[in-house]
Amino acid sequence: MVETSDIRVVRCGGSKVNLTPPIISSDSRYPFVLCTSGDLVKVYSTRTEEWLHSLQGHTNQVTGITLNPANHLQVYSCSVDGTVKLWDFIDGILIKTFVIGCPLFAIYVLSVIVLSECFQLVSVHLPKSAEQEVEAKEMSAVSSHISKNPSCTAFGRGGEYIAFARHLQLNVYFFRKQKTYSFSLKATDKKGAKNAFTCIACHPTDDCIATGHEDGKIRLWRNFIHKKEYTYSTQHWHHNAVNTLCFTPEGTHLLSGGIESVLVQWQYGADNRKEFLPRLGGSILHISASSDGQLFCTSHSDNKITVIESSFKVCGVIQGLVKDAVLTDLMIDPRSKALVLNGKPGHLQFYSLLRDKHLYNLDIVQQEYIYEAGLDQFEVVKAAFDIKGSWLATVEERGKKSSDLEFFLKLWAFDERTQSFVLNTTITAAHTDRIISMCFSSSEETTMLVTAAEDSQFKAWCQGADADTQQDQNFWSCDFVGSYHKLNPTNCSFSADSSLLAVSFQEVITIWSPDTWEMLTTLCQPPGVIRDLCFGRLSCSKYLLGTTTKNLLCCWNLLTCELEWSTSVDVSKLQPDPFSENVAAFSYQSKHTDLFVFKPSEPRPLFTNKNVCSEKVHRAVFVPREEPLNSCDESTQWLNRSQLYFLTQNMDLLTFSTATEEDRMLSSSKQLVIDDSVAVTPFYLLLGKHRQQQQKLNTQSHPVSDKPQQTQGSVTIKELLHTPAHVLPAASVLCSMFVNSFLISNTGVQQDPLRYFVHIRLKSNGFSYSVMHLLSISLKFLNSFI
């Protein structure tokens, strides 16, 4: 058994971006969206929707972010690791770390933080110091036992007071008076409405507090400085709980959102005058507004952030890995190498692991989803690709009881013209009960789909033939129906060459020949119902692996039809690597999950990693590498051809990284660096390559002392080309300086061919070229030397 620290578990993306409200930078021309994502703070462009970079430094979940009021280019972040960090989010630089020492769950303004355990609202003084890490010791409690929901706390009118609600009570604390006023509501009113508080927002200039409630009502509280004379008005549109409220910076409008996935804009001071932006996706969890009020951001339950203009027009969508119950397995699209699993209701999501970006959704159910709690609707529960990625099989079902169960088996063909999957065949009565397992054959010649259901049958589906013309048609039909003593099947799997099909029925494994549909043998030694089933690959293709509910991992030799070996281990997920002989087994015990990697031919594990995570692992997949690692270390050879990804119960997508892989990524990034003092651009690379060749020729033909020095004109060109465009002066200012840099001096010193060439062109055309035209001429000239 090999265990090494060279391999470590790393977060590979896909974390929640909807945990906390996103914030929008103050730059109105090039605004950024910042959001928490696991232990990172991600920075996105609102124009391109692309991920720019991440602020990495926390060691645990980041729970809150807020802009620095003193500098609009800086942001504060707090984390469960007990620290507050100050960042320059434009360049991704960590400026300072404040050590609080307690888990932090939210940060509202510069010095107010929610702490853990008893959930106290505490004011923390962040000291000024030249050191990068400072301990913050000065803390004072504002209130105890506040709501665990950060949306139920808000600051009002320049930070003069803070409003926080819990259950049926609203509290307003005034910092100058150091006094708290409390207001209570009854659990239900005369109409039976639920009055519990769900969120709070304070008007930026007026003494007005907006509160959302479980029954969908919004109350506007006024005159709360006097406890006995307070008043509130009620507005109602949401039919369910109000999740979030937000005033615009000018205070002219109030934004609200809930499970309806509709952004509602209420005009402040005008009763019930409102606008709607519907069909935004999942239920709205948070709403944010930019400081100039030009952009709004809504974060949704389907792990998505929507960027909206003040005119109520969607201008950008930042979609993360949808964090819902994963009913399908983790799959890899053979064509795009994207991670595929069920995403938003009724869809499959295609997610790029390399770019950590959502690619697109494939609508499987093809019905409008209604965001209504308790409403039974179709969900995608099974999916599988064939080996070439030409076919996709999906199962959608509705209904929890067998009497109310509805399900469809669909076959999708990949369309080369549209580069997407198109529905080919819909089978409405594939089985009489729920489909629990399905798999495609591994053969590239013929494609076959096998489904196993709780109706005690498994069926083989093939592309059918027309009964009249006897010609192959592009539709699917049932080719064979199999069963075994009326037992319910639990799993099915094809061998690597598709010559054998294994179907487990309770405690018995049956082996079938897909060519003749003859049952070849049965395997029934281990006790317990078969839970997972897979064949070995490559040199281990003669082995069959299975796990049972009696915590056994068994390996059969199909040549002898005998049990090769077995071990007592509770395997929650058994995942074979299709590109090697290796098999990964995740075992949950003692409140943590262990990983074992082994070959079926050897009961000794190649690699083991104790305490991979603290939750059970039910979903995992091997992803092929674009370039093999070629590691010689025995403990890391199992990662040479493919990389193992797994999903925890908390919906964290994790993988394994090696020191060799990290060194290779570091060395590849260093290849672009030519000179530490000069920024690298494509033009510099071209010019530098030509200069190196020219210098080599000059060194061979001339003494070192006769080597001409670099002219001032070349320095000017270099400074011009390497300065960021957004800080350059206007082109009219630079034109004369740029043209003068190309003029030949009278010193008689040998000039660059580039300078001489441009000088001739300038003289022959009377200085009529623009700056961009000169650059294009220079690039064409440089290409002649490559």
Side-chain angles (χ1 to χ4, degrees), residues 485-504:
H485 295 291
K486 297 183 179 180
L487 296 176
N488 283 338
T490 58
N491 221 314
C492 60
S493 177
F494 274 100
S495 61
D497 58 357
S498 298
S499 61
L500 296 176
L501 172 67
V503 183
S504 59

Side-chain angles (χ1 to χ4, degrees), residues 157-367:
R157 202 155 51 84
E160 293 185 6
Y161 58 87
I162 182 171
F164 50 96
R166 188 183 182 190
H167 301 310
L168 297 169
Q169 183 170 324
L170 172 65
N171 302 294
V172 183
Y173 175 80
F174 291 89
F175 288 96
R176 290 184 179 179
K177 298 180 180 179
Q178 294 186 354
K179 191 174 183 180
T180 302
Y181 294 96
S182 300
F183 312 93
S184 300
L185 296 175
K186 296 181 180 180
T188 57
D189 57 15
K190 296 180 180 179
K191 298 182 179 180
K194 299 179 180 179
N195 291 328
F197 292 90
T198 56
C199 55
I200 284 181
C202 296
H203 196 278
T205 56
D206 292 347
D207 288 331
C208 177
I209 301 175
T211 60
H213 301 266
E214 285 187 1
D215 57 0
K217 292 181 180 179
I218 299 174
R219 289 183 170 89
L220 297 178
W221 301 74
R222 294 180 176 86
N223 204 24
F224 44 81
I225 300 177
H226 308 285
K227 184 174 181 180
K228 296 183 179 180
E229 300 177 5
Y230 75 94
T231 60
Y232 65 79
S233 59
T234 303
Q235 297 176 342
H236 195 187
W237 179 87
H238 298 275
H239 74 278
N240 213 315
V242 181
N243 290 336
T244 179
L245 292 170
C246 177
F247 278 101
T248 57
E250 301 85 1
T252 56
H253 293 90
L254 172 67
L255 304 172
S256 64
I259 196 174
E260 305 88 359
S261 187
V262 177
L263 179 63
V264 185
Q265 181 174 254
W266 307 80
Q267 186 171 346
Y268 183 70
D271 294 338
N272 292 326
R273 185 178 296 178
K274 49 191 174 292
E275 298 180 55
F276 304 96
L277 183 60
R279 294 183 292 275
L280 293 177
S283 58
I284 300 176
L285 302 180
H286 308 287
I287 302 175
S288 302
S290 61
S291 58
D292 57 2
Q294 297 300 313
L295 292 177
F296 306 138
C297 267
T298 58
S299 59
H300 302 262
S301 59
D302 55 356
N303 204 30
K304 178 178 67 177
I305 295 176
T306 305
V307 184
I308 304 167
E309 295 178 353
S310 56
S311 58
F312 258 41
K313 178 183 177 182
V314 176
C315 61
V317 175
I318 301 170
Q319 176 68 70
L321 189 65
V322 177
K323 298 296 185 178
D324 205 348
V326 179
L327 305 177
T328 65
D329 286 331
L330 299 184
M331 300 165 290
I332 297 297
D333 179 13
R335 293 178 177 270
S336 64
K337 309 304 179 185
L339 179 68
V340 182
L341 65 159
N342 64 291
K344 67 179 186 179
H347 292 71
L348 285 179
Q349 59 175 323
F350 289 69
Y351 195 86
S352 173
L353 293 170
L354 182 63
R355 300 168 58 193
D356 188 19
K357 180 181 179 182
H358 175 84
L359 299 179
Y360 66 94
N361 287 313
L362 180 62
D363 189 358
I364 302 298
V365 174
Q366 297 182 342
Q367 292 182 3

Side-chain angles (χ1 to χ4, degrees), residues 431-503:
H431 290 269
T432 59
D433 210 336
R434 179 177 282 108
I435 297 176
I436 58 175
S437 180
M438 67 178 183
C439 62
F440 273 102
S441 62
S442 304
S443 174
E444 295 186 0
E445 299 177 357
T446 58
T447 304
M448 179 185 298
L449 174 69
V450 172
T451 58
E454 293 180 347
D455 58 359
S456 303
Q457 293 179 340
F458 74 92
K459 294 184 179 182
W461 307 85
C462 298
Q463 288 179 271
D466 190 280
D468 297 329
T469 62
Q470 297 299 319
Q471 295 180 354
D472 291 339
Q473 300 293 320
N474 197 22
F475 64 86
W476 291 72
S477 61
C478 182
D479 184 64
F480 177 76
V481 179
S483 62
Y484 183 79
H485 295 291
K486 297 183 179 180
L487 296 176
N488 283 338
T490 58
N491 221 314
C492 60
S493 177
F494 274 100
S495 61
D497 58 357
S498 298
S499 61
L500 296 176
L501 172 67
V503 183

Side-chain angles (χ1 to χ4, degrees), residues 96-215:
K96 197 175 292 294
T97 299
F98 301 94
V99 180
I100 309 299
C102 299
L104 311 176
F105 287 93
I107 181 169
Y108 296 98
V109 289
L110 190 57
S111 60
V112 179
I113 298 155
V114 176
L115 301 184
S116 65
E117 282 87 30
C118 58
F119 281 90
Q120 292 180 328
L121 187 65
V122 178
S123 174
V124 181
H125 174 67
L126 303 180
K128 294 183 179 180
S129 174
E131 298 180 0
Q132 190 170 6
E133 184 171 317
V134 184
E135 185 175 357
K137 299 181 179 180
E138 298 183 22
M139 295 186 293
S140 59
V142 177
S143 179
S144 301
H145 306 291
I146 67 169
S147 173
K148 297 180 180 180
N149 181 11
S151 298
C152 288
T153 305
F155 283 81
R157 202 155 51 84
E160 293 185 6
Y161 58 87
I162 182 171
F164 50 96
R166 188 183 182 190
H167 301 310
L168 297 169
Q169 183 170 324
L170 172 65
N171 302 294
V172 183
Y173 175 80
F174 291 89
F175 288 96
R176 290 184 179 179
K177 298 180 180 179
Q178 294 186 354
K179 191 174 183 180
T180 302
Y181 294 96
S182 300
F183 312 93
S184 300
L185 296 175
K186 296 181 180 180
T188 57
D189 57 15
K190 296 180 180 179
K191 298 182 179 180
K194 299 179 180 179
N195 291 328
F197 292 90
T198 56
C199 55
I200 284 181
C202 296
H203 196 278
T205 56
D206 292 347
D207 288 331
C208 177
I209 301 175
T211 60
H213 301 266
E214 285 187 1
D215 57 0

